[in-house]
Amino acid sequence: QVQMMESGGGSVQVGGSLRLSCATSEYAISNYCLGWFRQVPPKAQEAVAALDSRGRTTYADSVKGRFTISKDKSANTFFLQMNNVTPEDAAIYHCAADYRPSGCTWHDVNSLAYYGQGTQVSVSS
């Protein structure tokens, strides 16, 4: 079992920025596909971004150019920097991870095996 713990959610104004963090294991941060997905119940979850073990990042079209996924190996933590936030970005954000030695893209995030409880992001006008 890989532990995943999100933090950093909260309320942000339209056009503002927020950084989400996900603490995980030392092995996962270096070797796993890392990603973020979001959900507005009862809608289906929506994959947002992925960072594979080779350092390649990919994004859903809805967030491309606004969100950035990155990691800090020394802290066993990866991040989702959210800029120019819109009302459509309001959701529960979950971090996710899984072993994918061939690499991964944002399309794979919804199938990653390990994920956290989520952190709420609210957007106000």
Side-chain angles (χ1 to χ4, degrees):
Q1 186 71 18
V2 177
Q3 298 298 315
M4 315 284 293
M5 179 66 74
E6 303 94 343
S7 61
S11 181
V12 59
Q13 290 191 320
V14 171
S17 298
L18 200 64
R19 189 176 81 158
L20 308 182
S21 301
C22 181
T24 186
S25 72
E26 181 178 359
Y27 188 82
I29 202 73
S30 293
N31 298 285
Y32 278 26
C33 171
L34 309 171
W36 291 91
F37 66 89
R38 62 190 183 187
Q39 187 173 25
V40 182
K43 296 180 182 179
Q45 64 189 50
E46 176 190 10
V48 171
L51 170 61
D52 74 9
S53 59
R54 300 177 187 179
R56 296 173 296 194
T57 58
T58 55
Y59 302 91
D61 287 346
S62 58
V63 305
K64 194 177 295 182
R66 301 187 299 117
F67 290 12
T68 302
I69 186 171
S70 62
K71 65 182 179 182
D72 181 350
K73 287 186 180 181
S74 66
N76 298 335
T77 302
F78 65 103
F79 308 97
L80 185 69
Q81 177 67 43
M82 305 169 59
N83 295 332
N84 194 20
V85 169
T86 72
E88 290 70 34
D89 295 322
I92 300 170
Y93 283 74
H94 300 260
C95 59
D98 201 357
Y99 184 61
R100 299 290 173 94
S102 299
C104 67
T105 71
W106 70 271
H107 295 94
D108 300 307
V109 171
N110 284 340
S111 65
L112 300 182
Y114 306 104
Y115 51 90
Q117 298 277 23
T119 186
Q120 179 78 52
V121 173
S122 302
V123 181
S124 60
S125 58

